[in-house]
């Protein structure tokens, strides 16, 4: 199914990679071929020119060997002398064979009649023979008139009607001094001209020296290379289409090969990846492998990619299985913790009819664990008709372990207290029992009070717990508000064996209030790591002392929550408040 | 929590620094256990300790018990207000040799 989808896409869309490779190869191969072609042509021209120059030098040497050098030097000297004398009196129309005014041309030519002696004729014949024997179009002895930019003829090897006579010149297309130097010194440089007749010509200039070694002029050798150029053009016209055809075929074959070896496998893998992505999340674990189905004949790297995709698929399935297992376990633990939380909350006492019916006091307690369950608790119950027992305790840990220890501690304390005895006796006995039990080496701080409802006398035992906050409604210096009531205390329960639990007493009068709490209140901290602290605690209690104890306790809890609103709850929080209404 | 251990012939001094709380107590407990087994007299320099949680108190309690059972002593020096308050509340204060 996946492959079918691929192929349809394949047809509709331009295949990027294949096209890129085709164009790349095509452009590169074409450029390379053109460069080779240009190199070949220029090499061919260089070779041709080299041969022409060699031939010219060779032929000139032969000519010079056969003529009387003295005659030649005189011929140059005389021609130059006459030319210098008359050069400014005539212009090009009078001084070249094709001039319109034949009379003028003849008149100018006749100025040089005296130089055309035997020596001149002999030289002309030699040059003519040379010209006839070779491929040269012409060979002539000349000198440059640099001032007037002219090439002046001394002897022309041509004998046709339009040949140059001594002193005649041509203007324009005369090589510059620099170019002339290049032509003379180079093995292949020639002066190339596009002739007015549509052909191509090249000219070589070979210096001629007199016997004293002085430069007296140049042998100008002239070839028509139109045929050569035509041959090159024909070659290019034939070669180009063939090259383009071959390059196209080459690029096509390579890119087609790459499609099979590279593009198709890539598309197959991406198609499988798409198919994989379409699988619903909850089917990923059980679905058949999509990457196992594809079989590619690609390069090693693509096989590596496919292998990586297969292992990814496998590890995703494994991870999902693991996540499912973890989720199942977590859900079970959550459920169990929820049950544990319910049980723990039910261990905290409700305000029974008996308690609420009692006129002597009002009370309220709350406990909020940091986790699902916690190690804090409070408790209150009637020990007998005239005595209310209340306590707050804090197991030295958090979480499920602490919660179990809390349940045990709570039951031991309540059961022991119900059998009678002072808070000190209760704690001493529970301390022994818990020490035997304390497998995890936990301990409990606890504060217990036993209130004589008639007299307001409160027997207190503090096992390493936070001191309570007390409020005196009437009588003496303490009526300003809540204060921390410090008294002698013992160590926590199950902390160290054999330590005493001293008992103290507080006498409550009508309207006095006592608040117990755990360190979850005072050590609650905000994002700046500031602690809620005792001062804030007293302030909140004082601000709310006109409410009933319930509202006061809830106000304190709200203040703590607000203070620590930008941090996670750090510890279990317990608050317990009691107001004595008198006997 | 950083712990520097200075071992003498028959005693050891541990210089503690940081918070002795739930996160660090386990490691500290290990060190306490090892040193408590090895020496009869252990001195804790509490100058760098700014907070002790109940887990930290447990570690101190266990070290005290280990030493107590073999008639050794646990001493503390440089105890700050916060730590002193905790020692006082738990009753450890009366059991230690404090300087």
């Amino acid at each position: 199914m996946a492959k079918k989808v691929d192929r349809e896409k394949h047809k509709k869309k331009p295949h990027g990679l294949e096209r890129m490779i085709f164009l790349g190869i095509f452009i590169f191969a074409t450029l390379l071929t053109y460069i080779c072609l240009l190199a070949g042509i220029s090499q061919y021209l260089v070779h041709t020119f080299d041969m022409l120059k060699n031939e010219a030098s060779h032929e000139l040497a032969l000519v010079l060997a056969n003529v009387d050098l003295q005659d030649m030097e005189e011929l140059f000297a005389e021609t130059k002398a006459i030319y210098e004398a008359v050069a400014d009196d005539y212009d090009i129309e009078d001084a070249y064979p094709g001039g319109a005014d034949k009379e003028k041309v003849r008149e100018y030519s006749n100025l040089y009649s005296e130089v055309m002696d035997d020596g001149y004729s002999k030289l002309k014949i030699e040059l003519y023979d040379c010209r006839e024997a070779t491929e040269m179009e012409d060979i002539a002895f000349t000198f440059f008139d640099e001032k007037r930019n002219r090439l002046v003829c001394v002897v022309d090897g041509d004998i046709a009607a339009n040949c140059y006579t001594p002193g005649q010149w041509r203007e324009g297309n005369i090589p510059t001094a620099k170019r002339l130097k290049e032509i003379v010194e180079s093995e292949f440089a020639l002066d190339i001209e596009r002739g007015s007749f549509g052909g191509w010509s090249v000219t070589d200039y070979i210096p001629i020296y007199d016997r004293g070694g002085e430069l007296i002029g140049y042998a100008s050798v002239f070839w028509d290379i139109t045929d050569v150029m035509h041959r090159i053009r024909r070659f290019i016209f034939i070669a180009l289409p063939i090259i383009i055809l071959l390059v196209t075929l080459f690029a096509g074959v390579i890119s087609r090969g790459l499609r099979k070896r590279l593009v198709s496998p890539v598309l197959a893998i991406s198609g499988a990846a798409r198919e994989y992505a379409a699988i619903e999340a909850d089917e990923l674990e059980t679905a058949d492998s999509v990457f196992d189905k594809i079989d590619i004949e690609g390069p090693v790297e693509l096989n590596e990619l496919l292998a990586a995709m297969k292992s990814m698929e496998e590890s995703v399935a494994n991870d999902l299985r693991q996540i499912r297992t973890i989720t199942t376990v977590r859900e079970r633990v959550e459920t169990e913790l929820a049950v544990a939380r319910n049980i723990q909350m039910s261990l905290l006492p409700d305000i029974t009819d008996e308690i609420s019916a009692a006129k002597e006091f009002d009370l309220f307690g709350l406990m909020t664990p940091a986790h699902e369950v916690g190690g804090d608790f409070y408790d209150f119950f009637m020990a007998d008709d005239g005595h209310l027992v209340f306590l707050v305790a804090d197991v030295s840990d958090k979480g499920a372990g602490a919660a179990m220890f809390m349940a045990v501690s709570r039951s031991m304390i309540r059961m022991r207290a119900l059998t009678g005895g002072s808070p000190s006796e209760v704690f001493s006995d529970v301390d022994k029992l818990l020490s035997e039990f304390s497998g995890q080496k936990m301990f409990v701080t606890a504060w217990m009070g036993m209130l004589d409802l008639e007299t307001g006398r409160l027997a207190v035992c503090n096992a390493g717990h936070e001191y309570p906050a007390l409020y005196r409604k009437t009588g003496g210096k303490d009526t300003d508000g809540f204060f921390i009531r410090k008294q002698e205390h013992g160590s926590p329960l199950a902390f160290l064996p054999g330590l005493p639990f001293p008992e103290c007493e507080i006498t409550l009068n009508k309207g006095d209030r006592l608040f117990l709490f755990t360190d979850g209140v005072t050590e609650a901290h905000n994002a700046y790591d500031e602690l809620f602290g005792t001062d804030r605690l007293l302030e909140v209690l004082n601000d709310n002392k006109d409410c009933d104890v319930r509202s006061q306790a809830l106000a304190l809890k709200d203040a703590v929550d607000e203070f620590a609103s930008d941090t996670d709850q750090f510890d279990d929080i317990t608050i317990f408040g009691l107001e004595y209404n008198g006997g | 929590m950083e712990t520097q251990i200075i071992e003498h012939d028959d005693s050891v001094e541990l210089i503690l620094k940081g918070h002795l709380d739930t996160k660090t107590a386990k490691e500290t407990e290990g060190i306490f256990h090892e040193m408590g087994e090895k020496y009869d007299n252990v001195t804790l320099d509490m100058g760098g300790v700014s907070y002790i949680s109940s887990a930290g108190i447990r570690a101190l309690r266990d070290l005290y018990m280990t030493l107590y059972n073999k008639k050794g002593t646990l001493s503390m020096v440089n105890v700050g207000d916060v730590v002193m308050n905790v020692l006082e509340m738990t009753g450890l204060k009366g059991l230690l040799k404090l300087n």
Side-chain angles (χ1 to χ4, degrees):
Chain A
M1 180 64 195
K3 282 188 178 171
K4 212 172 175 183
V5 171
D6 283 347
R7 235 166 258 148
E8 279 168 18
K9 276 186 186 146
H10 213 159
K11 277 178 196 162
K12 280 181 209 159
K13 282 190 170 178
H15 6 87
L17 195 56
E18 191 182 341
R19 169 166 292 215
M20 260 161 55
I21 291 164
F22 178 84
L23 280 177
I25 294 174
F26 183 81
I27 291 168
F28 178 72
T30 308
L31 277 176
L32 193 67
T33 318
Y34 284 172
I35 290 167
C36 291
L37 199 62
L38 282 177
I41 289 168
S42 49
Q43 199 55 43
Y44 171 66
L45 282 175
V46 165
H47 179 67
T48 307
F49 289 1
D50 187 22
M51 271 177 23
L52 292 178
K53 284 188 81 141
N54 275 340
E55 187 185 38
S57 304
H58 184 65
E59 290 298 325
L60 180 67
L62 282 180
V63 168
L64 291 178
N66 284 337
V67 298
D68 184 334
L69 292 176
Q70 191 180 346
D71 283 354
M72 187 190 74
E73 286 167 21
E74 282 170 14
L75 182 60
F76 266 95
E78 286 164 15
T79 307
K80 277 184 186 172
I82 297 166
Y83 173 79
E84 285 301 331
V86 303
D88 288 331
D89 301 336
Y90 293 87
D91 64 20
I92 183 70
E93 277 302 313
D94 310 326
Y96 93 100
D101 188 343
K102 296 299 172 196
E103 277 304 310
K104 273 272 190 187
V105 172
R106 198 167 303 122
E107 179 194 317
Y108 177 73
S109 264
N110 285 339
L111 292 173
Y112 296 86
S113 54
E114 67 187 68
V115 303
M116 289 186 265
D117 56 8
D118 282 354
Y120 167 80
S121 302
K122 193 163 186 304
L123 187 53
K124 189 166 177 87
I125 288 164
E126 283 295 330
L127 291 180
Y128 175 74
D129 285 349
C130 170
R131 174 178 172 262
E132 287 300 302
T134 63
E135 291 283 310
M136 295 171 191
E137 197 68 21
D138 194 13
I139 177 168
F141 281 7
T142 55
F143 63 86
F144 283 101
D145 174 5
E146 285 173 21
K147 198 169 68 184
R148 300 179 186 85
N149 196 24
R150 292 172 182 170
L151 181 65
V152 185
C153 178
V154 177
V155 189
D156 187 1
D158 199 352
I159 56 165
N162 60 346
C163 71
Y164 281 73
T165 57
Q168 285 187 324
W169 74 78
R170 68 185 179 95
E171 279 183 20
N173 293 330
I174 306 298
T176 62
K178 189 179 160 210
R179 178 68 186 147
L180 188 63
K181 190 163 180 279
E182 262 175 39
I183 292 170
V184 169
E185 286 173 359
S186 163
E187 282 177 15
F188 57 83
L190 291 171
D191 199 21
I192 304 174
E193 269 177 79
R194 191 82 209 259
S196 54
F197 50 92
W200 293 83
S201 63
V202 288
T203 310
D204 191 15
Y205 298 97
I206 309 166
I208 301 170
Y209 302 96
D210 66 10
R211 282 163 299 170
E214 282 291 315
L215 179 74
I216 53 173
Y218 289 87
S220 306
V221 187
F222 174 81
W223 294 269
D224 183 356
I225 57 158
T226 308
D227 280 355
V228 174
M229 295 312 254
H230 280 175
R231 229 173 293 143
I232 289 172
R233 195 162 64 187
R234 209 174 310 127
F235 172 67
I236 290 173
F237 279 153
I238 295 170
L240 262 190
I242 294 175
I243 288 166
I244 289 172
L245 187 70
L246 285 177
V247 164
T248 312
L249 274 175
F250 176 68
V253 167
I254 298 274
S255 60
R256 193 158 289 262
L258 277 169
R259 180 206 294 179
K260 186 167 173 283
R261 304 269 300 158
L262 196 65
V263 178
S264 300
V266 166
L267 287 176
I269 293 173
S270 69
R274 216 175 277 277
E275 192 187 341
Y276 182 69
I279 299 175
E280 295 293 327
D282 54 355
E283 288 171 14
L284 276 176
E285 260 180 87
T286 48
D288 290 339
S289 167
V290 293
F291 293 103
D292 263 349
K293 285 188 290 190
I294 37 178
D295 188 21
I296 57 168
E297 284 175 52
V300 182
E301 290 83 353
L302 282 182
N303 277 309
E304 179 57 32
L305 174 64
L306 181 59
M309 299 297 266
K310 280 180 190 168
S311 88
M312 178 207 72
E313 191 181 30
E314 217 168 288
S315 78
V316 166
N318 280 340
D319 288 352
L320 280 173
R321 268 190 285 275
Q322 217 165 335
I323 288 171
R324 193 170 297 275
T325 312
I326 291 169
T327 310
T328 312
V329 170
R330 201 190 62 202
E331 280 166 1
R332 199 185 69 221
V333 169
E334 275 171 7
T335 312
E336 288 171 6
L337 275 176
V339 173
R341 184 186 170 87
N342 284 338
I343 291 173
Q344 178 166 51
M345 287 306 160
S346 72
L347 287 178
L348 300 173
D350 290 327
I351 297 186
T352 58
D353 293 344
E354 186 190 9
I355 296 282
S356 66
K359 296 277 182 287
E360 294 87 349
F361 59 87
D362 287 320
L363 58 75
F364 179 76
L366 64 86
M367 195 280 269
T368 311
H371 304 154
E372 275 75 5
V373 290
D376 276 13
F377 67 98
Y378 62 88
D379 202 1
F380 53 81
F381 48 89
M382 296 303 292
D384 53 53
D385 285 348
H387 290 90
L388 170 75
V389 172
F390 59 93
L391 67 126
V392 163
D394 179 0
V395 177
S396 66
D397 211 337
K398 293 186 279 286
M404 293 182 76
F405 203 72
M406 164 264 177
V408 172
S409 308
R410 179 257 184 203
S411 305
M412 280 185 184
I413 293 170
R414 187 184 265 238
M415 287 172 77
R416 174 63 191 80
L418 285 171
T419 61
S422 70
S424 171
E425 287 164 357
V426 171
F427 275 1
S428 294
D429 290 350
V430 171
D431 175 56
K432 288 192 194 82
L433 289 167
L434 278 180
S435 295
E436 290 163 18
F437 169 78
S438 180
Q440 276 292 314
K441 298 180 178 177
M442 289 184 190
F443 57 83
V444 193
T445 69
W447 191 103
M448 181 196 266
M450 185 183 282
L451 178 66
D452 184 325
L453 298 185
E454 200 175 324
T455 61
R457 206 183 69 88
L458 181 64
V460 170
C461 189
N462 182 352
H465 197 80
E466 307 276 327
Y467 295 115
L470 180 64
Y471 170 70
R472 297 287 192 196
K473 182 149 193 180
T474 54
K477 57 185 170 58
D478 294 332
T479 53
D480 294 342
F482 278 89
F483 65 99
I484 297 297
R485 181 73 161 94
K486 292 187 181 178
Q487 278 176 309
E488 196 188 352
H489 65 85
S491 290
L493 304 174
F495 188 64
L496 288 168
L499 293 177
F501 292 92
E503 190 162 305
C504 309
E505 194 180 295
I506 301 174
T507 304
L508 296 180
N509 298 310
K510 187 172 165 22
D512 290 354
R513 285 187 188 186
L514 189 70
F515 267 85
L516 302 172
F517 48 90
T518 56
D519 56 6
V521 175
T522 46
E523 291 179 12
H525 59 265
N526 62 13
Y528 307 106
D529 236 9
E530 294 167 334
L531 296 181
F532 186 76
T534 314
D535 292 345
R536 278 195 190 80
L537 175 124
L538 294 175
E539 193 184 318
V540 176
L541 289 177
N542 284 327
D543 287 349
N544 295 278
K545 65 186 175 196
D546 296 330
C547 316
D548 57 23
V549 284
R550 183 175 186 277
S551 306
Q552 204 176 3
L554 290 173
L556 177 59
K557 175 67 171 51
D558 286 348
V560 172
D561 286 347
E562 196 189 332
F563 179 78
S565 62
D566 42 9
T567 57
D568 289 337
Q569 189 183 332
F570 170 73
D571 201 356
D572 306 334
I573 292 173
T574 299
I575 299 168
F576 177 88
L578 175 121
E579 178 172 359
Y580 180 60
N581 298 327
Chain B
M1 190 80 201
E2 287 170 43
T3 312
Q4 194 187 333
I5 303 171
I6 302 170
E7 295 182 79
H8 304 289
D9 289 346
D10 58 347
S11 66
V12 65
E13 187 179 351
L14 304 179
I15 302 175
L16 307 176
K17 201 171 173 188
H19 284 201
L20 188 51
D21 57 22
T22 318
K23 275 176 270 177
T24 60
K26 202 161 179 65
E27 189 193 339
T28 311
E29 217 167 330
I31 295 170
F32 282 1
H33 182 74
E34 191 189 328
M35 292 299 139
E37 293 290 323
K38 204 166 160 187
Y39 295 96
D40 287 350
N41 300 304
V42 178
T43 302
L44 302 179
D45 185 331
M46 304 297 280
V49 181
S50 48
Y51 175 76
I52 297 188
S53 76
S54 48
I57 294 166
R58 243 176 13 223
L60 288 176
R61 189 260 319 256
D62 293 349
L63 176 61
Y64 168 78
M65 283 306 290
T66 308
L67 296 173
Y68 176 83
N69 286 337
K70 53 180 187 175
K71 309 262 185 289
T73 52
L74 175 61
S75 313
M76 278 194 196
V77 294
N78 296 325
V79 183
D81 288 348
V82 176
V83 176
M84 189 60 90
N85 196 32
V86 170
L87 295 179
E88 200 274 327
M89 284 307 291
T90 53
L92 274 174
K93 186 181 171 187
L95 304 171
L96 304 174
K97 220 173 111 186
L98 290 169
N99 286 321

